[in-house]
Amino acid sequence: MPEKPKLASKAAAISRKHAAERGALIPVLQELQEEEGYLKPESLAEVSEQLKIPLSSIYGVATFYAQFRLEQPGKNIIQICSGTACHVKGSKKVLEEFEKELGIKAGETTQDKKFTLLSVRCFGACALGPIIKVNDDIYSSVAAGQAKGIIAKYGDKK
Amino acid sequence: MTALVFRIGVGTCGLSAGAAEVRRALEETLAAEGAAKSGSTVKGVGCLGLCFAEPLVEVGGVLYGRVKPEDARLIAKAALEGEAVAAKALAKRDKCVLKGAEKVPPLSSQPFWALQFRDAFENCGVVDPKSIDDCIAAGGYEGLRKALKLKPAEVVAQVKAVGLRGRGGAGFPTAIKWELCAKAPAGEKFAICNADEGDPGAFMNRANLEGDPHKVLEGLIIAGYACGAGKGFVYVRAEKPLAAQSVKTAVEQAQAKGFLGKNILGSGFDFDVEVRLGAGAFVCGEETALIASIEGKRGMPRARPPYPAEHGLWGKPTNINNVETLAHVPNIFRRGAEWFAARGTAKSKGTKVFCMTGKVNNTGAFEVPIGITLRDMVFKIGGGIPNGRKFKAAQSGGPSGGCLPESCLDLQLDYESLNEAGAIMGSGGLVVMDETTCMVDVARYFLAFTQSESCGQCTPCREGTARMLDVLNRIADAKGKATDVEELQRMGRIIRDTSLCGLGQTAPNPVLSTIRYFKGEYGEHVKGKKCAAGACRMGAKK
């Protein structure tokens, strides 16, 4: 069992804020991830206690939805769209290039914790594919050969 | 100096293409020129659907496409002098107040515009989605006002009379859903707007919510009234944050104006709306899975019947409509039934937004009368295939749909014709492919998508899609067996017939339809071990 956190934890505060809502679990997990970057085991235990939902059910939900992360992500999150339009326009090659440059596979984080590389579903900006998103910055019509330059922009950030 | 409004598209597409910098350039120029005194302003609007021309700026009736910040400064300075920059203009509206635009082609003469008819999208790219007053000035909430003067049963009857069908995919008659929910025993009922647009290649719901959220909300309120619901939800895909924010703001504004809350417009009808974010599961577009997700559970579909209209959210009667379906509702009341039913086919009235992407010159979201031919879509609206290449196929309906080859170019895009051709209308995604696209790779792509999005609950979908994918991977790796194509067809039929929900039932479609139309290409892969397009891992062996 994870150690019981203090009552003043973010998980407790967020849970209590939504406790009266029906179907509060997903909004709580979303807010928690927004606050803490990912879903920590001790935070989930706290949510379980506050919302009176078995921890097993919470893990069931957290692992079902693609949005939730159970591991700490890198400082920069690179998302490569793998939607149909982007695929047809060559997003697979772009992804492979990022994998090569970073030395990791999609879904992984670099050892220095600087980058997490994700292959994601459609952003809905299909007309401008291949689309990639680094943190909140969007790059459209990305061609093979651009990976290095894009990574360099974020590489030195602490 | 006359007061000018500079409209700039700041939807996701526009922003991806650099609209934020263009907006800043416009604002700086206006400030430097002292334009505020004349009342000229910059207005951030949603998307006109002309994604190929983003960032898009409209001023004084002239539209400028692919605007760079330096162009924006030039355009703004000229406009403030009453002049157009003809060389940079894309088209002009019928009412154009700028001089020097004589040679700019009228928008109404451009096939990508002339063939459209805008109902759901009528205010997208025109109104400021963050301003409810702007939306009201454009006719917003007039339909609600008219609908609330009718009895709920009369509202249902009017929607039934025009034959509105669900725009989310299956084309189920909207009024029948409403009627079922209305006739369920009185008590707590819910109305849900399904904005979990997860079909890769479709973004009309996003564009609708970003560009004119009030129209969708108005449709939801009317649906709630017709069904006797007291509470509504908008379930928005989390990957589309701008759309979610837009509808959240719209809900707050509608509450403040009394379009939501107690006794709406003095009708005695109480209705409120909550926005919920999806968490990234394609299957949640399926209505029973969506309901489970709002309830805070894993988004897994369940067998129907009972339908949500009888047993839905928290076991209560629930009505679920797609964003675009709801966006068509206000005008059925505001402009009337005849107006709505004047377009479309005998079985499917009105318009449908198609998102056309891929290997086509004009990409974007285009609202057209149902029944337009694929040829008109691709070659007139889409302006044909880039780089002088040949049209090969268009995938209609995303991962649940099928491909339409050249022989289907004269097919009418309506629910029935598409089904017969082995595709589906689906949400209206249309991905155009040219001769350099490998159809086996496309089928493999879609199946990999549905396989990873399968919720894993029923065996045919969970195991079947994985086995089909094994076979396709084998073919792509030049290890295909002679019986593989037959095997794919056999498994596809079983999955289609025995899966629990729509995701599984339609998952084999892309494979079955590519086999139907491009069997030769499969043969080349299996027997000849070659991929002419060079997309498969065997490379392009001649």
Side-chain angles (χ1 to χ4, degrees):
Chain A
M1 276 295 283
E3 206 179 305
K4 201 174 169 183
K6 289 168 289 193
L7 270 178
S9 74
K10 280 176 186 160
I14 293 168
S15 303
R16 276 201 296 268
K17 194 173 95 188
H18 291 277
E21 289 167 27
R22 280 196 283 186
L25 180 58
I26 291 171
V28 166
L29 296 182
Q30 285 170 331
E31 213 174 308
L32 192 57
Q33 180 163 294
E34 182 77 32
E35 279 284 328
E36 303 190 327
Y38 71 111
L39 300 175
K40 300 176 183 173
E42 60 270 28
S43 298
L44 293 181
E46 185 67 34
V47 171
S48 165
E49 195 155 304
Q50 292 288 335
L51 295 180
K52 307 272 179 284
I53 297 173
L55 194 55
S56 57
S57 305
I58 294 181
Y59 271 94
V61 168
T63 53
F64 183 85
Y65 295 98
Q67 188 191 6
F68 297 124
R69 285 190 291 266
L70 295 168
E71 276 163 28
Q72 186 173 13
K75 285 206 172 72
N76 300 289
I77 299 180
I78 303 176
Q79 301 181 77
I80 317 269
C81 182
S82 61
T84 320
C86 289
H87 176 81
V88 170
K89 290 216 172 156
S91 67
K92 206 164 72 180
K93 286 205 176 78
V94 175
L95 175 65
E96 283 165 4
E97 204 180 75
F98 272 91
E99 288 181 333
K100 210 178 122 207
E101 286 296 328
L102 294 170
I104 52 172
K105 290 275 166 207
E108 296 177 348
T109 301
T110 53
Q111 261 187 337
D112 61 6
K113 299 273 179 220
K114 273 187 184 162
F115 293 99
T116 294
L117 182 64
L118 300 171
S119 165
V120 298
R121 299 298 185 222
C122 193
F123 292 125
C126 314
L128 300 153
I131 290 263
I132 79 161
K133 211 171 150 186
V134 185
N135 306 327
D136 287 326
D137 305 333
I138 306 168
Y139 297 84
S140 55
S141 307
V142 178
Q146 277 180 258
K148 207 171 202 166
I150 292 172
I151 293 168
K153 279 194 197 175
Y154 300 87
D156 299 318
K157 273 189 193 166
K158 292 237 168 94
Chain B
M1 231 193 260
T2 47
L4 288 169
V5 179
F6 290 79
R7 291 198 179 92
I8 164 117
V10 288
T12 301
C13 279
L15 289 176
S16 311
E21 290 79 29
V22 174
R23 182 184 192 152
R24 213 157 30 238
L26 285 174
E27 282 167 349
E28 282 166 10
T29 313
L30 258 63
E33 302 287 317
K37 270 178 265 165
S38 70
S40 292
T41 50
V42 177
K43 183 157 137 181
V45 297
C47 156
L48 271 181
L50 309 176
C51 304
F52 65 96
E54 296 284 2
L56 213 106
V57 172
E58 179 175 352
V59 59
V62 179
L63 276 85
Y64 298 95
R66 299 190 181 99
V67 178
K68 296 191 181 74
E70 57 269 27
D71 302 332
R73 290 191 189 94
L74 208 69
I75 289 163
K77 270 190 194 164
L80 293 171
E81 302 288 323
E83 300 277 342
V85 185
K88 303 259 175 198
L90 178 72
K92 66 179 175 198
R93 300 251 188 200
D94 294 341
K95 202 174 156 225
C96 174
V97 300
L98 299 183
K99 274 178 262 161
E102 292 75 22
K103 285 191 180 153
V104 176
L107 193 54
S108 52
S109 76
Q110 299 294 306
F112 64 73
W113 193 261
L115 265 65
Q116 290 198 57
F117 188 91
R118 293 166 81 89
D119 170 18
F121 266 32
E122 69 178 335
N123 297 330
C124 289
V126 181
V127 297
D128 176 357
K130 293 196 182 97
S131 159
I132 191 170
D133 292 323
D134 211 25
C135 295
I136 292 172
Y141 295 101
E142 229 177 81
L144 175 67
R145 217 176 276 277
K146 288 190 174 166
L148 288 178
K149 292 205 171 98
L150 305 171
K151 293 196 182 83
E154 292 169 331
V155 172
V156 173
Q158 186 148 336
V159 172
K160 196 185 256 181
V162 301
L164 177 64
R165 299 173 68 172
R167 299 294 195 253
F172 192 80
T174 305
I176 307 262
K177 271 192 175 179
W178 291 10
E179 199 167 37
L180 269 173
C181 189
K183 284 187 175 159
E188 193 176 30
K189 292 181 188 177
F190 298 100
I192 298 175
C193 169
N194 182 351
D196 189 44
E197 183 176 56
D199 169 0
F203 50 90
M204 60 285 285
N205 292 171
R206 168 186 70 67
N208 226 167
L209 289 173
E210 285 176 3
D212 190 10
H214 287 286
K215 193 191 255 310
V216 180
L217 197 54
E218 184 183 358
L220 180 62
I221 303 168
I222 296 173
Y225 177 67
C227 301
K231 168 118 197 215
F233 286 91
V234 182
Y235 185 90
V236 194
R237 210 170 122 79
E239 285 89 335
K240 305 197 168 169
L242 215 56
Q245 192 47 54
S246 171
V247 68
K248 275 185 188 165
T249 307
V251 166
E252 284 163 20
Q253 291 176 340
Q255 285 166 338
K257 289 268 182 195
F259 297 124
L260 284 173
K262 297 264 176 230
N263 191 20
I264 296 169
L265 300 174
S267 63
F269 171 56
D270 303 337
F271 189 72
D272 216 337
V273 168
E274 195 180 312
V275 178
R276 284 287 178 97
L277 289 182
F282 176 66
V283 70
C284 286
E286 200 278 342
E287 55 184 16
T288 59
L290 189 155
I291 286 173
S293 182
I294 293 181
E295 290 173 348
K297 299 178 193 148
R298 288 162 73 92
M300 302 216 275
R302 60 159 177 80
R304 299 174 303 177
Y307 288 93
E310 293 161 329
H311 187 92
L313 189 59
W314 290 297
K316 308 290 182 192
T318 302
N319 171 66
I320 304 186
N321 297 120
N322 168 266
V323 169
E324 193 191 332
T325 313
L326 292 172
H328 286 295
V329 169
N331 270 338
I332 294 174
F333 296 92
R334 174 171 168 241
R335 298 184 190 268
E338 267 178 47
W339 178 89
F340 181 86
R343 276 155 296 278
T345 64
K347 282 186 181 167
S348 312
K349 299 293 180 197
T351 51
K352 172 83 193 86
V353 182
F354 287 92
C355 286
M356 191 158 51
T357 57
K359 308 275 183 72
V360 62
N361 281 313
N362 302 337
T363 52
F366 306 99
E367 184 169 1
V368 292
I370 294 179
I372 189 172
T373 62
L374 180 61
R375 189 185 297 280
D376 281 354
M377 270 312 285
V378 174
F379 289 94
K380 288 191 179 159
I381 292 181
I385 316 297
N387 306 321
R389 292 216 174 97
K390 235 180 110 208
F391 172 87
K392 184 168 185 182
Q395 172 81 14
S396 165
S400 308
C403 72
L404 303 165
E406 205 183 352
S407 62
C408 288
L409 274 174
D410 291 307
L411 188 82
Q412 286 197 330
L413 300 179
D414 62 56
Y415 298 95
E416 285 77 18
S417 311
L418 282 164
N419 282 346
E420 274 167 39
I424 62 164
M425 176 84 94
S427 52
L430 210 54
V431 182
V432 180
M433 293 169 270
D434 68 13
E435 53 196 329
T436 66
T437 314
C438 166
M439 301 316 286
V440 177
D441 180 62
V442 167
R444 197 163 66 97
Y445 167 79
F446 281 117
L447 200 70
F449 177 88
T450 34
Q451 195 272 326
S452 82
E453 291 294 338
S454 167
C455 81
Q457 191 179 196
C458 74
T459 317
C461 175
R462 182 186 65 239
E463 298 300 326
T465 54
R467 292 293 80 77
M468 279 182 82
L469 190 59
D470 283 347
V471 175
L472 283 169
N473 281 335
R474 184 160 80 207
I475 294 176
D477 286 340
K479 291 173 189 152
K481 295 180 196 161
T483 51
D484 275 353
V485 172
E486 223 170 280
E487 182 63 15
L488 284 172
Q489 286 176 308
R490 191 184 67 86
M491 285 196 282
R493 278 192 299 271
I494 295 172
I495 297 169
R496 189 182 61 197
D497 294 344
T498 57
S499 290
L500 177 67
C501 83
L503 189 149
Q505 288 157 13
T506 58
N509 278 352
V511 181
L512 295 177
S513 77
T514 45
I515 294 177
R516 174 169 166 186
Y517 295 115
F518 297 95
K519 206 164 184 176
E521 209 167 310
Y522 277 85
E524 281 174 24
H525 280 73
V526 174
K527 291 194 195 101
K529 310 283 187 235
K530 69 171 189 186
C531 170
C536 292
R537 283 169 275 191
M538 62 188 72
K541 281 184 208 152
K542 295 277 159 160

